Amino acid sequence: MIHVTIDGIPVEVEKGATILEAAGLAGVNIPTLCHIKSLMPDGSCRICTVEIENRGRTRLDTACSAHCAEGDQIQTRSEAVVSARRGILDMLLSNHPTNCFSCPSNGSCKLQDLCYEYGVKETSCPGEMSQLPVDDSNPFFTYDPNLCILCHRCVNTCHKIVGCGAIDTMERGFDSVISPPFGLPWRESSCESCGNCVAACPTGALTSKRRWNYRPWQVEKKVLTTCPHCAVGCQYYLLVNGEGRIVDTEAYHGPSNRGLLCVKGRSGSFDFVQSPERLKYPLIKNKQTGKFERATWDEALDLVASKFMELKKQYGPDSLAGFACSRSPNEDCYMLQKMVRTCFSTNNTDNCARVCHSASVAGLAMTLGSGAMTNPIADITQRPDVIMLVGSNPEEAHPVVGMQIRQAVQRGCKLIVVDPRDIGLAKQADIHLKLRPGTNVAFANGIMNVILSEGLEDKDFIAQRTEGFEQLRDIVKEYTPERVAEICHIDAEDLRAAALLYARADRAPIIYCLGVTEHSTGTEGVMSMSNMAMLVGKLGREGCGVNPLRGQNNVQGACDMGCMPGDYPGYQKVDKPEVWEKFEKAWGVPLSHKPGLHATDVFPAAIEGKIKGLFIFGEDPVVTDPDTSHVIKALESLDFFVLQELFMTETAQYADVILPGASYAEKEGVFSNTERRQCRVRKAVNSPGEARLDTDIFIDLMNRMGYPQPHLTAAEIYDEIASVTPSFGGMSHARLDAGEYLQWPCPSKDHPGTPILHVGKFSRGLGWFYPAEYVPSAELPDSEYPFILSTGRILYHYNTRAMTGKTQGLMEIEGSSFIEVNEKDAVRLGIANGDKVKVSSRRGSITSVARVGAKVSPGETWMPFHFPDGNPNWITNAALDKYARIPEYKVCAIRLEKA
């Protein structure tokens, strides 16, 4: 250890510590402009200058870069230090306008604060100043190079923290400027508009355009909450002004985002909350005119309750069904499934995981005993030697995880990308297996074939902690690299290299997403991921595991809360006597003892006349589910359909009653993020019009339908969840509000939560090697429909755009449908980039715009499903996985022609 004194305060630090780090330990503040704590010092601003005396010698040096030496006597406020800092500020102002009153960063500018502190009002070196054009091309922020002090915080943030590298310092000397390569406008560069550089800027050079609408002193409160988009669970503040309106966001250093936000979280997370398009009053459809008419809450709730009870009496409990909202907090989801089970008296309840990640829940539960991500995000991005990324594009679907993977690659972590497209991370990958869509099981079996043939399996782990190995071993013998290469359309040597890289690594997580799950063999694809990890003993350890990135913000929580036809909260099976007896006692009514219908089976049952009444909370299946015509026919076949929503969605058009609920910013609650972490949601603003808390709506309906449900706050509902759910038994709002980001299982109030699952023992006892054989997709190309169509997400939008579509800047960047086509196919079909094309399947036709290139292989195409002007779900295949009943979004056969 090294001993120094800072302003007379003795400090003991480890060898290699900087003076700035030592000052932090001593509680002494040293000003900085260029320094970023997590990075190597830049030393460009020099405002952190301090005076160092050692062995009779005195010098001035920068605290961020100078390392402590034994016996250093450090002064941070001596006359020489203050003079030096004044001189630095003087020189900065020599090429910096002082029109602070008109600057949007007025009141939150570090340069302004330091000039005020050190009494520097103007420069003593007047002369020529930069007169450079302002770049206003980005829809979310402005770059004014005349206000830039070249501290490089934005460049270092973009390169080393975000990992994008969209900007750099261009030119030299007086002409130096921050710019995208070749002087391109920011709008035309590779910038992702995440705004992390803007947040890092200490002056007004990079400013959010929202800052023109408010000043810092107008912010009345900052409310810490959780992002409502993907399931990373990013933490941030909502900034609320005195009029009760959200004016901005500010990143918080949460455990999953570590101070980062993506473009959706920073810029697309509150416009929809305050949209004039919000539903404000209950609506009842006039059967004669077909138009919705405003109703009172009593009228709407009385009608809903009486109609559902009439259908239950006439056709039986199983003629009713209710779907939960995977974007709403755990408390809402819990009350929805409780209402369905206690009032409808059926287990016909589900959530949108059915069409995205139910294969993860089912598959991992069967093989490992718990259908959830095994390791925390920080663990699988900061600790690995190798990352295997399968069917996942986190740069766009989970951008903050994508940023952390890019950081890992910069640190030297090897990356294996297994994806049919040239996603962004494929460019940074050591190996990219560009496999044919629908061949994940064959790929995994090929990996295991190589591992076994090379003797790289973990024999002790297999013997002590697993079962079923012999049967799996016999199966994968047939999946030689050459055979798998033929099935998957990849190179056999690349497969071998990937297998060896993964098997030989000490720490190597598998991270996957919808490219694995959304298949007619999605559950077997998931179980193949766990097969690979078990084979090499990479489960129950740091930096390893099998890690599904959940799609929606609370799709994990909706499943945790029992919004599934076969499970009560905490994955307690509805057909087990000890379970139903427990819940009958807790809820005080007899319950159905048989599993209900999956959401994807409810729609055909409605067409058959078996489902008569449907309650959908916050989902839009007309847009999200495959074979849209089939979904519409099902909704039109219902006797009674109720929707609880924020907006008049495509699905809402078919409802008999619409109930306006509250957004995440208008309620208290908890999201379960993708790593099982409990993330608080806190009320920032009031709901518009007569919109009500969703839990209050459910409670009022339950009482009207004859179930005596007391009115409970979100905290009280969460306590009830803990009382009936062993894995949540030790959790409460109070613990979460005290700063604990607990991960289930957390069985008792003194339990710290469980970051890594299956340590020492699997949840099911022994891990099961599932004997998966490759089965081709349900619908393959033929002469009539010669192309494969796959679908997915893009960075700038979220699912149906019900939220992101209300943010103008996001729509400016990406606002309409497109289809990716391989350049060789395009030449053959006479299609040029930007041409309108007709896309047809056996279920119908849509039009879109061609994007020609090499991102997809010949014979394959890809489309986002966000846009109504060409929604591929009109033509995708509704073929279902036999275990999870998940649709095959990732493979259907299409015909492509110039429109």
Side-chain angles (χ1 to χ4, degrees):
M1 301 296 286
I2 292 173
H3 301 83
V4 301
T5 62
I6 302 179
D7 292 346
I9 302 171
V11 185
E12 185 180 72
V13 296
E14 292 184 359
K15 184 178 181 180
T18 64
I19 291 173
L20 189 62
E21 291 168 336
L25 293 174
V28 174
N29 179 56
I30 296 175
T32 64
L33 285 170
C34 70
H35 185 66
I36 298 175
K37 186 177 180 180
S38 61
L39 301 181
M40 292 286 288
D42 190 81
S44 59
C45 76
R46 308 195 70 78
I47 200 69
C48 66
T49 293
V50 293
E51 186 174 9
I52 308 165
E53 182 182 349
N54 196 323
R55 297 180 183 178
R57 298 180 60 189
T58 302
R59 76 182 195 277
L60 294 178
D61 209 338
T62 50
C64 70
S65 59
H67 289 202
C68 294
E70 182 64 36
D72 277 351
Q73 303 285 319
I74 302 159
Q75 296 293 322
T76 71
R77 292 280 172 175
S78 68
E79 186 176 331
V81 168
V82 171
S83 176
R85 290 179 184 167
R86 283 179 178 153
I88 291 163
L89 294 169
D90 188 339
M91 293 304 294
L92 287 174
L93 289 189
S94 70
N95 191 33
H96 191 93
T98 53
N99 54 336
C100 296
F101 284 127
S102 61
C103 178
S105 289
N106 184 22
S108 60
C109 171
K110 287 188 177 181
L111 179 62
Q112 183 186 57
D113 292 344
L114 288 170
C115 285
Y116 177 80
E117 181 181 349
Y118 287 90
V120 180
K121 298 180 180 179
E122 57 187 9
T123 182
S124 63
C125 308
E128 182 182 355
M129 296 179 71
S130 298
Q131 294 292 326
L132 297 170
V134 174
D135 190 329
D136 198 38
S137 61
N138 188 282
F140 295 114
F141 59 82
T142 297
Y143 174 59
D144 185 348
N146 305 297
L147 297 176
C148 179
I149 60 172
L150 296 173
C151 67
H152 306 126
R153 278 177 63 90
C154 60
V155 173
N156 289 333
T157 296
C158 188
H159 278 259
K160 298 173 184 176
I161 296 178
V162 174
C164 183
I167 54 175
D168 218 324
T169 307
M170 304 296 177
E171 308 303 334
R172 293 185 179 183
F174 193 69
D175 296 323
S176 294
V177 65
I178 306 298
S179 169
F182 311 109
L184 286 171
W186 289 64
R187 175 69 173 270
E188 298 174 21
S189 73
S190 59
C191 170
E192 296 173 351
S193 301
C194 66
N196 290 296
C197 62
V198 181
C201 181
T203 69
L206 278 166
T207 53
S208 166
K209 290 182 177 179
R210 288 195 297 273
R211 290 299 301 274
W212 288 104
N213 300 321
Y214 78 97
R215 288 292 185 264
W217 53 84
Q218 294 175 310
V219 174
E220 191 168 273
K221 62 180 179 179
K222 292 170 34 172
V223 180
L224 181 61
T225 192
T226 304
C227 180
H229 294 297
C230 77
V232 174
C234 295
Q235 300 293 288
Y236 58 52
Y237 292 103
L238 291 174
L239 277 55
V240 183
N241 68 12
E243 298 175 359
R245 288 187 62 82
I246 304 169
V247 294
D248 213 340
T249 58
E250 182 182 303
Y252 179 79
H253 200 283
S256 60
N257 67 309
R258 308 207 301 276
L260 293 170
L261 291 176
C262 78
V263 62
K264 293 190 290 289
R266 192 180 301 278
S267 300
S269 58
F270 65 86
D271 288 332
F272 78 93
V273 173
Q274 300 166 158
S275 168
E277 298 175 30
R278 282 283 300 275
L279 293 169
K280 300 179 180 67
Y281 309 98
L283 301 172
I284 298 175
K285 183 177 284 182
N286 186 313
K287 292 295 185 181
Q288 294 176 334
T289 65
K291 294 182 178 180
F292 287 103
E293 298 175 355
R294 179 174 169 178
T296 67
W297 272 105
D298 282 337
E299 289 171 338
L301 294 177
D302 285 345
L303 175 60
V304 171
S306 62
K307 192 65 178 176
F308 276 123
M309 291 303 96
E310 286 173 16
L311 292 172
K312 175 183 174 182
K313 183 177 180 180
Q314 185 174 357
Y315 299 104
D318 291 333
S319 68
L320 306 179
F323 300 161
C325 175
S326 298
R327 289 173 289 135
S328 205
N330 286 337
E331 296 82 354
D332 297 13
C333 294
Y334 175 83
M335 291 307 296
L336 180 280
Q337 62 85 35
K338 184 178 180 182
M339 180 182 77
V340 171
R341 288 182 160 121
T342 59
C343 298
F344 292 4
S345 302
T346 181
N347 287 314
N348 291 342
T349 186
D350 212 339
N351 73 92
C352 83
R354 186 60 50 205
V355 294
C356 59
H357 262 297
S358 58
S360 291
V361 177
L364 296 182
M366 281 193 280
T367 58
L368 308 179
S370 179
M373 192 166 166
T374 61
N375 291 55
I377 291 170
D379 183 66
I380 61 173
T381 56
Q382 293 182 340
R383 291 185 171 88
D385 308 305
V386 173
I387 293 173
M388 181 182 282
L389 189 68
V390 187
S392 175
N393 186 6
E395 287 181 305
E396 303 208 49
H398 303 86
V400 170
V401 171
M403 295 173 192
Q404 294 176 56
I405 291 175
R406 293 192 295 222
Q407 290 177 24
V409 172
Q410 289 181 0
R411 290 193 297 268
C413 178
K414 303 293 184 182
L415 178 62
I416 302 166
V417 169
V418 185
D419 199 283
R421 299 168 66 227
D422 286 336
I423 62 172
L425 283 170
K427 300 182 183 71
Q428 301 184 42
D430 296 88
I431 301 169
H432 177 203
L433 298 176
K434 196 173 181 180
L435 80 177
R436 184 175 173 83
T439 61
N440 294 318
V441 173
F443 144 75
N445 285 349
I447 290 284
M448 291 185 284
N449 176 288
V450 175
I451 291 171
L452 288 168
S453 64
E454 295 288 334
L456 295 174
E457 73 275 20
D458 189 329
K459 295 179 179 63
D460 290 340
F461 187 92
I462 293 168
Q464 296 167 15
R465 296 197 54 188
T466 71
E467 61 183 345
F469 170 67
E470 290 77 14
Q471 188 177 359
L472 179 77
R473 180 189 59 200
D474 293 341
I475 286 173
V476 302
K477 280 180 183 177
E478 306 302 319
Y479 289 85
T480 64
E482 289 70 25
R483 182 190 173 201
V484 171
E486 186 176 343
I487 295 171
C488 298
H489 295 189
I490 58 175
D491 185 89
E493 290 308 311
D494 287 345
L495 181 73
R496 285 192 181 91
L500 298 179
L501 190 60
Y502 172 67
R504 288 171 175 165
D506 177 36
R507 294 176 175 178
I510 296 171
I511 303 174
Y512 74 87
C513 196
L514 305 187
V516 170
T517 62
E518 289 183 342
H519 293 276
S520 55
T521 56
T523 304
E524 292 177 329
V526 168
M527 293 190 282
S528 296
M529 300 300 109
S530 66
N531 285 346
M532 286 192 290
M534 281 194 292
L535 189 65
V536 288
K538 290 183 171 61
L539 281 160
R541 295 203 287 120
E542 288 186 344
C544 293
V546 178
N547 302 283
L549 295 178
R550 309 306 293 268
Q552 298 205 56
N553 54 314
N554 201 39
V555 73
Q556 181 67 56
C559 296
D560 295 344
M561 293 300 100
C563 297
M564 295 193 296
D567 298 285
Y568 285 114
Y571 307 96
Q572 301 172 83
K573 302 302 178 184
V574 300
D575 56 0
K576 288 188 175 181
E578 65 273 20
V579 173
W580 81 56
E581 288 169 1
K582 167 185 169 180
F583 279 91
E584 286 180 344
K585 181 178 179 181
W587 293 345
V589 291
L591 299 170
S592 173
H593 300 167
K594 64 177 182 179
L597 289 176
H598 300 91
T600 44
D601 292 317
V602 164
F603 294 121
I607 294 172
E608 295 169 12
K610 296 176 181 177
I611 294 292
K612 298 292 186 179
L614 178 60
F615 190 109
I616 296 183
F617 168 39
E619 298 295 346
D620 193 5
V622 169
V623 178
T624 60
D625 282 36
D627 193 358
T628 301
S629 298
H630 170 81
V631 175
I632 291 173
K633 184 177 180 181
L635 296 178
E636 291 176 335
S637 300
L638 294 165
D639 284 20
F640 192 60
F641 171 36
V642 179
L643 186 72
Q644 193 162 308
E645 252 293 1
L646 303 181
F647 297 100
M648 183 62 75
T649 62
E650 292 293 313
T651 302
Q653 308 293 334
Y654 300 92
D656 295 295
V657 179
I658 300 174
L659 305 175
S663 77
Y664 84 110
E666 298 153 4
K667 62 177 67 170
E668 299 288 327
V670 177
F671 293 152
S672 295
N673 81 339
T674 189
E675 57 188 348
R676 299 169 283 108
R677 195 181 299 278
Q678 302 301 287
C679 305
R680 278 284 273 119
V681 180
R682 296 180 176 91
K683 181 177 178 178
V685 293
N686 293 322
S687 297
E690 295 178 7
R692 298 183 60 198
L693 285 177
D694 296 283
T695 50
D696 284 353
I697 297 172
F698 299 141
I699 290 169
D700 278 356
L701 282 173
M702 292 166 79
N703 281 286
R704 279 174 163 83
M705 288 188 283
Y707 181 81
Q709 173 62 51
H711 273 266
L712 302 174
T713 65
E716 290 169 335
I717 295 170
Y718 200 75
D719 288 342
E720 182 176 322
I721 294 166
S723 72
V724 295
T725 312
S727 57
F728 279 67
M731 297 194 284
S732 64
H733 279 207
R735 286 190 71 180
L736 300 177
D737 287 339
E740 295 186 76
Y741 287 91
L742 300 167
Q743 291 171 271
W744 64 257
C746 178
S748 62
K749 296 186 185 304
D750 58 353
H751 194 283
T754 308
I756 300 175
L757 294 179
H758 315 304
V759 176
K761 182 180 180 181
F762 287 108
S763 300
R764 72 183 297 274
L766 294 176
W768 178 39
F769 282 104
Y770 177 84
E773 290 272 16
Y774 164 66
V775 177
S777 299
E779 184 180 78
L780 295 174
D782 57 20
S783 58
E784 187 178 3
Y785 298 99
F787 292 95
I788 287 177
L789 171 66
S790 192
T791 67
R793 296 183 177 96
I794 62 172
L795 170 63
Y796 298 100
H797 285 291
Y798 181 77
N799 288 11
T800 65
R801 296 181 310 109
M803 297 189 293
T804 55
K806 306 299 187 292
T807 297
Q808 183 181 351
L810 295 174
M811 292 299 291
E812 281 182 32
I813 296 173
E814 198 73 83
S816 59
S817 169
F818 62 88
I819 181 168
E820 293 176 357
V821 183
N822 184 270
E823 53 202 3
K824 294 179 181 177
D825 294 325
V827 169
R828 183 170 51 82
L829 295 171
I831 294 171
N833 191 55
D835 279 353
K836 270 209 160 188
V837 291
K838 182 180 178 182
V839 188
S840 305
S841 79
R842 290 176 174 84
R843 289 152 294 280
S845 298
I846 58 172
T847 57
S848 190
V849 174
R851 290 194 180 174
V852 177
K855 285 192 79 170
V856 293
S857 298
E860 298 172 16
T861 64
W862 184 91
M863 291 185 75
F865 54 74
H866 308 294
F867 304 106
D869 61 328
N871 184 348
N873 285 332
W874 282 91
I875 61 173
T876 46
N877 190 8
L880 300 178
D881 171 273
K882 65 182 179 182
Y883 292 110
R885 311 300 289 166
I886 193 169
E888 187 150 50
Y889 289 103
K890 297 304 182 188
V891 180
C892 80
I894 64 162
R895 181 172 60 248
L896 195 62
E897 53 198 318
K898 190 171 180 178

